[in-house]
């Protein structure tokens, strides 16, 4: 699989050329460009397979060229800073720039150690499973003291909508199986390890596929079994999903697994819409020029995200701030413990983004909505109310019978 980020360096050093009319645009962003381009070029997500380094992948639309959508941008950046937030779900209608924005994260990605090997072998595998857990080539390298991984920008791994179980988990490498060692052709989940796994329209994905992904995401690993063989692969990815509520709902247990919930509505301001259009046109004419227009902001943001990521382990959540958060969750009658994990981890990311090591009230305020919305369940509320009624009834009847004796 080719690495779309490989082109990054070239892109930043190439000279400017051509004319795009982009100079006349005085805006801080754009929306829905990708959708527009997709329509114009007749290309849609179904055509994109894993590792397809197509034209637009080489020149992702700049994150800061997305017009408006402050909440979405903030939420996505927080997720890059602190993977413990538990991923993010972008909720909104078609054509509001959700996919564009997610793909534009490519230029902001933090660096991670990634395996150099087809089978995904890592040095850390030796600590848990010994030399046996490496493929023969990597075992040899390891014994010679050669590195098995290199530092690279994290990738955006896209899950195709028509992904089959085999694509997601991987499949048996017949040659290896014949030599009595199970090696699995790494699936999407394994490729997503330490990266971002992007699922567009998660509500349209097959239930069985969603379940496997969520389990792997929760455990940070997954096991593939074929007969007597079993192989475990790491899958510590950040999940980013989108859904269009017009096209069906998400099962509550799936919704619960997403950390931040970001609402992405269409731009209402005419000026903003015009800016978005102009930038879209400029990007279509000369994507490189648009990328260069935002190169400085992109570089600064990437450095700040990296610095905030380093700071995260030191960020402290004072007890009085935690109490405010827990009071809020209790007031909202949210049951899932994932609510406070996301709320507090997002608040810690806010503090880190600000270069602080202590969470303040305002950090909590800024992330509360995106961490806690869509978490209340009318069904569960009613269910427990009914249960309480039943408990009272059981007690009463018991009293009556006992009293009658
Ligand atoms: Zn290997």
């Amino acid at each position: 699989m080719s690495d779309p980020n490989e082109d990054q360096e070239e892109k930043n050093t190439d000279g400017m050329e051509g004319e795009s009319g982009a100079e006349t645009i005085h805006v801080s962003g754009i929306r829905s460009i990708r959708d527009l381009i997709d329509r114009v070029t007749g290309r849609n997500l179904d055509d994109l397979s894993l590792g397809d380094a197509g034209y637009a992948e080489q020149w992702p639309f700049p994150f800061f060229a997305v017009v408006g959508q402050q909440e979405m941008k903030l939420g996505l950046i927080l997720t890059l800073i602190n993977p413990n937030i538990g991923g993010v779900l972008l909720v909104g209608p078609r054509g509001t720039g959700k996919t564009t924005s997610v793909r534009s994260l490519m230029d902001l990605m933090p660096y991670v150690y990634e395996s150099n090997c087809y089978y995904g072998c890592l040095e850390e595998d030796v600590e848990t499973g010994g030399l046996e857990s490496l493929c023969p080539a990597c075992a040899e390298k390891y014994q010679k003291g050669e590195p098995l991984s290199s530092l690279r920008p994290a990738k955006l791994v896209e899950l195709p909508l028509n992904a089959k179980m085999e694509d997601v988990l991987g499949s048996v490498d017949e040659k290896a199986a014949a030599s009595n060692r199970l090696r699995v052709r790494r699936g999407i989940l394994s490729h997503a390890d330490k990266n971002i796994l992007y699922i567009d329209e998660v509500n349209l994905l097959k239930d069985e596929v969603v379940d496997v992904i969520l389990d792997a995401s929760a455990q940070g690993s997954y096991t593939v079994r074929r007969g007597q063989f079993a192989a475990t692969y790491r899958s510590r990815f950040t999940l980013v999903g989108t859904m269009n509520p017009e096209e069906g709902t998400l099962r509550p247990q799936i919704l619960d697994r997403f950390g931040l919930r970001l609402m992405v509505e269409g731009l209402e301001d005419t000026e903003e819409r015009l800016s978005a259009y102009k930038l879209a046109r400029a990007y279509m004419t000369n994507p490189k020029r648009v990328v260069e227009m935002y190169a400085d902001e992109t570089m600064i943001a990437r450095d700040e995200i990296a610095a905030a990521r380093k700071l995260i382990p030191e960020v402290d959540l004072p007890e009085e701030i935690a109490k405010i958060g827990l009071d809020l969750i209790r007031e909202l009658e949210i049951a899932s413990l994932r609510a406070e994990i996301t709320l507090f981890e997002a608040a810690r990311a806010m503090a880190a983004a600000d270069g602080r090591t202590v969470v303040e009230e305002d950090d909590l305020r800024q992330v509360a909505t995106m961490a806690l919305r869509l978490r209340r369940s009318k069904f569960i509320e009613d269910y427990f109310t009914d249960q309480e009624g039943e408990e009272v009834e059981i007690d009463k009847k018991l009293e009556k019978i006992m009293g009658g004796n």
Side-chain angles (χ1 to χ4, degrees):
M1 153 172 178
S2 70
D3 183 351
N5 291 298
E6 274 165 13
D7 300 290
Q8 210 160 297
E9 216 175 332
E10 188 192 335
K11 163 174 60 195
N12 291 337
T13 51
D14 269 3
M16 295 182 195
E17 58 187 22
E19 170 290 312
S20 66
E23 288 83 355
T24 58
I25 298 167
H26 302 287
V27 290
S28 60
I30 192 168
R31 179 190 70 87
S32 137
I33 177 130
R34 182 54 184 258
D35 300 334
L36 198 58
I37 291 167
D38 282 350
R39 229 175 308 152
V40 170
T41 60
R43 183 181 184 197
N44 58 48
L45 195 67
D46 293 345
D47 302 332
L48 294 176
S49 59
L50 196 65
D52 168 22
Y55 180 66
E57 266 69 16
Q58 293 175 36
W59 300 102
F61 191 77
F63 186 76
F64 293 99
V66 174
V67 172
Q69 312 294 6
Q70 271 77 357
E71 185 192 83
M72 173 173 70
K73 286 186 242 178
L74 177 62
L76 288 172
I77 286 184
L78 293 178
T79 305
L80 289 189
I81 292 174
N82 187 0
N84 291 336
I85 284 172
V88 49
L89 180 68
L90 278 61
V91 184
R94 272 176 181 282
T96 46
K98 299 188 295 292
T99 299
T100 304
S101 302
V102 173
R103 289 193 181 138
S104 73
L105 285 176
M106 223 145 83
D107 280 339
L108 301 177
M109 293 287 194
Y111 278 69
V112 295
Y113 277 100
E114 225 203 340
S115 173
N116 299 331
C117 163
Y118 172 78
Y119 296 112
C121 304
L122 286 169
E123 283 89 350
E124 57 194 287
D125 292 336
V126 182
E127 291 160 31
T128 48
L131 269 184
E132 273 295 292
S133 59
L134 302 178
C135 73
C138 285
E140 205 183 313
K141 273 193 200 170
Y142 185 85
Q143 281 169 315
K144 284 189 203 158
E146 290 172 19
L148 308 182
S149 60
S150 12
L151 203 55
R152 293 176 201 153
K155 285 181 297 197
L156 185 73
V157 177
E158 294 195 26
L159 188 86
L161 191 58
N162 55 3
K164 292 186 206 71
M165 216 51 148
E166 202 183 78
D167 305 326
V168 174
L169 292 174
S171 56
V172 174
D173 186 326
E174 295 300 338
K175 255 193 282 177
S179 66
N180 231 20
R181 269 181 88 100
L182 179 77
R183 282 289 157 190
V184 173
R185 193 168 290 110
R186 294 170 68 198
I188 294 168
L189 288 180
S190 170
H191 279 292
D193 185 40
K194 294 186 176 181
N195 295 309
I196 288 184
L197 180 63
Y198 175 49
I199 310 177
D200 195 25
E201 312 224 46
V202 63
N203 48 331
L204 301 185
L205 211 60
K206 279 196 212 99
D207 282 357
E208 50 167 18
V209 174
V210 175
D211 289 341
V212 160
I213 293 169
L214 293 177
D215 285 347
S217 165
Q219 290 163 19
S221 67
Y222 67 100
T223 301
V224 180
R225 285 174 217 284
R226 294 285 185 278
Q228 63 183 110
F229 302 108
T232 298
Y233 286 85
R234 295 174 196 281
S235 55
R236 299 153 296 181
F237 49 82
T238 297
L239 195 57
V240 176
T242 69
M243 71 166 281
N244 176 359
E246 292 168 320
E247 288 174 0
T249 53
L250 213 49
R251 282 185 286 151
Q253 64 266 46
I254 297 172
L255 189 56
D256 182 50
R257 302 284 193 98
F258 283 96
L260 299 176
R261 299 92 199 290
L262 310 174
M263 291 298 176
V264 191
E265 289 171 55
L267 294 176
E268 282 175 13
D269 185 86
T270 310
E271 282 296 308
E272 282 189 343
R273 289 196 84 105
L274 185 62
S275 305
Y277 163 69
K278 283 183 179 172
L279 264 166
R281 206 188 51 179
Y283 182 72
M284 281 186 279
T285 315
N286 190 344
K288 194 149 107 188
R289 175 76 189 100
V290 177
V291 166
E292 278 158 359
M293 276 169 64
Y294 292 90
D296 288 348
E297 288 93 333
T298 303
M299 205 175 68
I300 291 165
R302 191 169 49 211
D303 289 350
E304 295 213 337
I305 289 167
R309 256 174 94 95
K310 265 198 198 135
L311 197 59
I312 271 287
E314 293 167 43
V315 177
D316 191 46
L317 177 74
E319 207 161 307
E320 66 268 23
I321 306 279
K323 229 188 132 288
I324 295 171
L326 292 172
D327 282 350
L328 177 62
I329 288 166
R330 199 195 52 225
E331 287 282 320
L332 293 170
E333 299 186 52
I334 297 169
S336 174
L337 287 170
R338 291 199 176 88
E340 45 261 51
I341 292 173
T342 297
L343 179 67
F344 295 154
E345 292 303 317
R348 290 177 70 236
M350 278 299 295
D354 212 15
R356 282 179 282 110
T357 53
V358 179
V359 174
E360 294 172 2
E361 259 183 45
D362 196 50
D363 298 323
L364 208 64
R365 190 175 288 125
Q366 294 211 51
V367 299
T369 319
M370 53 175 114
L372 301 180
R373 65 157 69 98
L374 298 177
R375 284 195 189 269
R376 285 193 283 182
S377 165
K378 182 84 181 75
F379 173 81
I380 293 290
E381 246 172 72
D382 293 349
Y383 182 80
F384 281 123
T385 309
D386 289 353
Q387 290 289 303
E388 277 164 33
E390 197 181 13
E391 278 166 32
V392 171
E393 202 186 324
I394 292 169
D395 281 347
K396 264 191 195 163
K397 290 203 188 299
L398 187 63
E399 277 305 309
K400 198 179 149 197
I401 292 165
M402 286 180 161
N405 277 347

